[in-house]
Amino acid sequence: MSESGIIDFAVLIPLLPMLAFPVILFLGKIFNGTPAWVKNAKEGGIIALTVMGASLLLALLVIKEHMHHVGTANIFTWFESSWWNPETGAITTKVFGVGVYIDHLTVMLLFVAAFLCFLINIFSIGYMNTDRINDNRNHRFYAEFVLFCSGMLGMVLADSFLWLFIFWELMGLCSYLLIGFYWERPSAAYAAKKAFLTTRVGDVFLVIGLIMLWNLFHPYSTGTDGALSYAVVFDPANIARVNAGDLQIALGMMFIGAVGKSAQFPLHVWLPDAMEGPTPVSALIHAATMVNAGLYLVARMFPFFSGAELGALSTLAIVIACIGGITAVMAALIAFVQMDLKKVLAYSTMSQLAYIFTGLGSALWFANNGYEELAAFAMGASLFHLFNHAMAKGMLFMASGSVIHEMHHAHHEVAHHGHDDDHGDDHDDHHDDHFDAQSMENMGGLASRMPITATAMFFGSMSIIGIPLIGGFWSKEGIISSAWQVARKEPVFLLPAMLVLIGAGMTGFYMSRMWFMTFAGKPKTEVAEKVHEQTAWIPIPLVILTFMTLGAFILAGMHAGHWLGDFNNGHYSNFLDGIGYELEHVFMNHDMFLFILTYVAIGLSLILGPSLAMSLYGGSLDDGQKAKPWMQWAISLSAKVNSKSNFDNSAWANSSLSESLHKRLHFDDIYDAAMLKIVVGFANLSAIFDSKVIDGVIKTIESTSQEVSRRVRSLTTGSARDYIMMAALGTLVIFMLLWGVA
């Protein structure tokens, strides 16, 4: 037990949702269809909400306690086992079970996961429990939901790479189940298998990396700490002892696992198809948990880079940044042409995670080359952007779900001539006809009809774009500047630095395009004219996350970026002093190069991208329709820009590049071919081996056994004379053997 208090109960944070998993499943099987279970318990939704609320409360208490130990990592182990060694007479103690490791990185991810899981649970009750297609199977959704959350929370709190991997795989299993929730649909089943197989490719390399890491640090493990324990692998003395080249290869293998989990090039193909799952699943995977696991793994490598020989791990840091830069631009390009609301956000997730990978690569390069302050700044910016992105993207996915949900209800109303007597039609492409409720081509003019949802998507989009003083601006600027600072010292870094700068303008375009196509202009269909916010529960998390996004400047003023980046010291300051420092750093940087760079980035993201989106997709609302004042100015401006613009988009729309982007740059074709030729081919070979070899051996053994059995049975005559003769013969044989030995 520890002396710190609440940390002794940290085990309950992942354990409570894990225990809720069988409870919800069992109760669902018993009470499915009963009024109390459906109306009061929300088919397990209230149980899940209670459990996730308790985990969030405990997480907040643990975080609060850690804040009193700034610059230290709290390490606590729950179980120990001891045994007596008869040879030495000593008692050997061996740690058994998972422990808790809490530092700045844990604190941030723990809050993000617990907080967003709780809010997504609230959203799910409004989203999942109002459609008849989910009747009698919502208990399965909530059971898988809490188990998924347990996996993420356990991974963040784990005190070793071994337990990190165990919880990592638990999330992988649950993601397969949740993405394929509508298993009766071939597209959902395909998407689930695609996600599972693609991430397993990365996980194979992760296992290889962990084995290599175990081999490197096993000589330095103790009776109480295993070779993969953070206490062993993060010890600077141990890091200095191992071969730097072997360590880089091991970490490189682990990084491939992170690439698969966070959907980075070239293992990114699974993420857009994961939209086949219900929208709460999309919010869960793309914002709160799964995709952040890869980032967490890379960020957790920071002590290796700061403790290793100078420059020995620089190559890996450059590779991490380059993968991030390539993915950022590639995903942004594909987002340009998407019409599915959720898929725009999916590619946005890939792009923004890529920004963070580039920032982490910069931080790791600085750490491995002796630039401690710059490393802390880059790491802080990356982690702060992870936080801002999680809040904004969680809100955006839930807002998109709100739009899709109400579009389905409005479509039902139109299809049934205004008699919306049953909410019971499905969503997320569960259509009764060919109407696509997720296509932005069927939306438009929703700003006045869905003010809460429109507001959430407005500020969420501004945060992702990096509009000054809003959410992601404070962190995105730091990532771009860090990448360019590395590039000034290492020319190879010019590639990721240039790519993330270009990506800033691209983000401004596709996020603005999404918002204007959905909420500005006139309704494109009769269904869009009938849309209005009506479902309870759904607006609650949208309102909360809107304030969280707008409140990011408070965290910036408290030097959150510095605090997250410095694992040895805490940074607390007066708010006014802190916000003054941030504003000066951003807008009046004393380094002329960084000063110019900041305004170039702002110009690309704030002016170029949104202006182009306005010219193509802007427009005023219907007569008599008004949006909220904080959005109306953007709609009015877009209408003016659109009316004065003569930009012809037809050449681009009909270009071969546009066609290629619609086909996702043909990566899915490559994936399908690989699956067909490799996986299916291997399965066919396995079938041949099974039928020709395994079955042949089994049949031979079977026929031989039958023959032996037949001959043995022939000896069992029932005659006492025959049994006496066999006993005598056996005795003679034994005597002869003994005589021969003697």
Side-chain angles (χ1 to χ4, degrees):
M1 299 294 287
S2 76
E3 299 179 356
S4 56
I6 196 66
I7 196 174
D8 295 344
F9 302 95
V11 63
L12 296 175
I13 297 174
L15 185 60
L16 286 175
M18 185 176 291
L19 294 176
F21 167 72
V23 172
I24 295 174
L25 278 182
F26 178 74
L27 293 178
K29 289 292 185 181
I30 295 176
F31 298 110
N32 264 354
T34 60
W37 178 248
V38 174
K39 294 181 180 180
N40 299 328
K42 301 294 183 181
E43 298 183 77
I46 298 300
I47 299 174
L49 185 63
T50 303
V51 167
M52 295 314 305
S55 292
L56 173 60
L57 179 60
L58 280 171
L60 293 174
L61 293 174
V62 169
I63 292 170
K64 179 183 177 183
E65 186 165 290
H66 174 74
M67 302 297 278
H68 297 293
H69 304 277
V70 177
T72 65
N74 293 306
I75 305 174
F76 171 61
T77 304
W78 294 311
F79 304 105
E80 291 185 358
S81 61
S82 303
W83 66 88
W84 178 68
N85 190 328
E87 296 181 359
T88 63
I91 296 178
T92 303
T93 301
K94 182 71 175 179
V95 172
F96 173 77
V98 62
V100 171
Y101 185 93
I102 302 178
D103 58 6
H104 296 4
L105 179 58
T106 305
V107 164
M108 192 273 293
L109 261 295
L110 181 62
F111 174 78
V112 167
F115 182 64
L116 286 179
C117 284
F118 178 72
L119 293 182
I120 293 169
N121 200 153
I122 296 174
F123 176 84
S124 299
I125 293 174
Y127 191 87
M128 299 296 294
N129 292 76
T130 55
D131 289 298
R132 293 288 295 275
I133 191 173
N134 299 320
D135 286 357
N136 297 321
R137 62 174 172 181
N138 273 324
H139 69 288
R140 182 163 63 84
F141 169 81
Y142 289 113
E144 294 165 0
F145 173 88
V146 294
L147 190 62
F148 192 110
C149 295
S150 175
M152 180 65 182
L153 295 169
M155 187 202 74
V156 170
L157 288 168
D159 67 339
S160 73
F161 281 110
L162 175 62
W163 278 104
L164 180 149
F165 176 74
I166 292 172
F167 285 111
W168 177 286
E169 290 301 306
L170 179 62
M171 280 195 294
L173 171 63
C174 292
S175 70
Y176 169 78
L177 297 173
L178 287 168
I179 294 171
F181 182 73
Y182 297 117
W183 53 267
E184 69 276 9
R185 295 168 54 207
S187 58
Y190 173 79
K193 289 185 288 186
K194 188 175 184 178
F196 189 79
L197 291 174
T198 307
T199 54
R200 291 293 76 71
V201 171
D203 290 355
V204 169
F205 288 96
L206 175 57
V207 170
I208 295 172
L210 290 176
I211 293 172
M212 294 179 66
L213 200 68
W214 181 90
N215 187 58
L216 287 171
F217 287 93
H218 178 66
Y220 315 113
S221 62
T222 65
T224 57
D225 297 309
L228 293 178
S229 171
Y230 295 158
V232 173
V233 298
F234 292 159
D235 188 334
N238 294 338
I239 296 173
R241 293 188 184 115
V242 303
N243 183 275
D246 294 339
L247 179 60
Q248 181 165 244
I249 295 173
L251 297 179
M253 294 293 105
M254 294 168 63
F255 169 65
I256 297 176
V259 167
K261 213 69 161 181
S262 293
Q264 298 295 286
F265 173 84
L267 300 178
H268 64 280
V269 294
W270 68 270
L271 194 63
D273 293 294
M275 298 299 101
E276 291 291 338
T279 296
V281 175
S282 302
L284 193 68
I285 291 176
H286 292 73
T289 52
M290 189 163 167
V291 293
N292 286 337
L295 296 170
Y296 175 80
L297 177 61
V298 175
R300 186 52 79 197
M301 298 177 185
F302 186 84
F304 294 116
F305 286 78
S306 60
E309 179 184 349
L310 288 178
L313 306 181
S314 293
T315 301
L316 179 57
I318 293 172
V319 170
I320 293 172
C322 287
I323 292 293
I326 293 170
T327 307
V329 172
M330 179 198 68
L333 277 171
I334 299 175
F336 277 12
V337 299
Q338 296 300 310
M339 289 299 176
D340 187 298
L341 183 58
K342 288 171 63 177
K343 287 187 178 180
V344 174
L345 295 176
Y347 283 106
S348 171
T349 295
M350 290 168 52
S351 184
Q352 294 306 304
L353 295 181
Y355 268 94
I356 302 172
F357 269 109
T358 301
L360 290 174
S362 304
L364 297 178
W365 191 92
F366 281 132
N368 193 232
N369 287 273
Y371 301 98
E372 295 182 1
E373 291 187 6
L374 292 175
F377 176 83
M379 177 61 72
S382 302
L383 296 181
F384 195 21
H385 197 60
L386 192 158
F387 175 88
N388 290 326
H389 173 263
M391 296 296 129
K393 193 55 62 70
M395 176 171 60
L396 286 168
F397 268 107
M398 285 187 276
S400 71
S402 175
V403 172
I404 295 166
H405 193 271
E406 305 304 346
M407 285 284 290
H408 273 289
H409 283 192
H411 172 240
H412 181 79
E413 181 181 350
V414 172
H416 292 78
H417 308 289
H419 299 288
D420 192 10
D421 55 353
D422 186 346
H423 289 319
D425 288 322
D426 39 354
H427 47 76
D428 287 325
D429 290 333
H430 291 271
H431 312 308
D432 56 3
D433 58 26
H434 299 292
F435 181 80
D436 189 355
Q438 296 185 191
S439 175
M440 295 184 295
E441 294 177 299
N442 294 326
M443 300 174 186
L446 301 185
S448 59
R449 294 169 170 85
M450 303 184 69
I452 297 176
T453 302
T455 298
M457 293 200 79
F458 183 73
F459 289 112
S461 298
M462 292 176 72
S463 177
I464 298 298
I465 293 172
I467 301 298
L469 310 183
I470 302 291
F473 166 78
W474 301 104
S475 49
K476 194 174 208 178
E477 183 275 334
I479 290 174
I480 295 173
S481 78
S482 294
W484 278 95
Q485 287 188 77
V486 177
R488 295 166 74 181
K489 305 177 187 300
E490 173 55 68
V492 179
F493 233 87
L494 279 171
L495 175 62
M498 183 63 70
L499 289 174
V500 293
L501 184 60
I502 295 172
M506 299 172 73
T507 303
F509 173 75
Y510 70 75
M511 291 301 297
S512 299
R513 169 183 176 269
M514 177 198 69
W515 195 86
F516 287 123
M517 287 190 72
T518 304
F519 297 102
K522 296 180 173 49
K524 302 178 183 70
T525 60
E526 184 183 0
V527 172
E529 294 177 352
K530 300 290 185 181
V531 166
H532 58 280
E533 290 171 326
Q534 62 179 346
T535 306
W537 295 86
I538 287 180
I540 298 173
L542 300 182
V543 173
I544 294 173
L545 288 173
T546 298
F547 283 104
M548 288 292 296
T549 298
L550 293 175
F553 79 97
I554 298 175
L555 296 176
M558 295 172 63
H559 281 198
H562 292 258
W563 183 79
L564 287 169
D566 193 335
F567 287 77
N568 298 313
N569 299 287
H571 289 269
Y572 301 97
S573 66
N574 177 275
F575 172 74
L576 293 178
D577 292 340
I579 201 69
Y581 169 83
E582 292 292 338
L583 292 173
E584 181 181 1
H585 169 76
V586 172
F587 297 108
M588 295 179 288
N589 200 302
H590 299 295
D591 187 320
M592 184 56 62
F593 177 82
L594 297 179
F595 176 85
I596 296 172
L597 180 67
T598 297
Y599 285 94
V600 170
I602 292 174
L604 290 172
S605 58
L606 176 61
I607 300 174
L608 182 61
S611 297
L612 182 58
M614 288 180 184
S615 66
L616 292 172
Y617 306 104
S620 58
L621 301 177
D622 274 339
D623 294 338
Q625 297 287 328
K626 284 286 186 180
K628 297 297 182 181
W630 49 83
M631 298 181 291
Q632 184 59 48
W633 69 267
I635 294 174
S636 300
L637 179 61
S638 76
K640 291 180 181 180
V641 173
N642 182 265
S643 63
K644 295 181 179 180
S645 173
N646 295 316
F647 184 77
D648 186 4
N649 192 41
S650 59
W652 151 257
N654 298 320
S655 66
S656 57
L657 176 59
S658 178
E659 183 181 356
S660 182
L661 293 176
H662 276 288
K663 295 181 179 180
R664 308 182 189 182
L665 295 174
H666 306 282
F667 281 107
D668 290 272
D669 298 334
I670 297 171
Y671 170 86
D672 290 336
M675 289 296 103
L676 184 63
K677 294 182 179 180
I678 299 175
V679 177
V680 177
F682 182 77
N684 291 334
L685 289 174
S686 299
I688 295 172
F689 180 80
D690 183 66
S691 61
K692 300 295 185 181
V693 180
I694 303 298
D695 285 354
V697 172
I698 292 175
K699 289 178 180 178
T700 301
I701 295 173
E702 182 183 10
S703 61
T704 304
S705 300
Q706 290 176 350
E707 179 64 22
V708 172
S709 177
R710 187 185 63 79
R711 293 183 179 275
V712 171
R713 284 200 306 271
S714 66
L715 298 175
T716 57
T717 62
S719 173
R721 182 182 63 184
D722 294 339
Y723 294 151
I724 292 172
M725 284 183 68
M726 286 187 288
L729 182 62
T731 303
L732 179 63
V733 171
I734 293 172
F735 174 78
M736 292 177 66
L737 289 173
L738 293 173
W739 181 73
V741 172

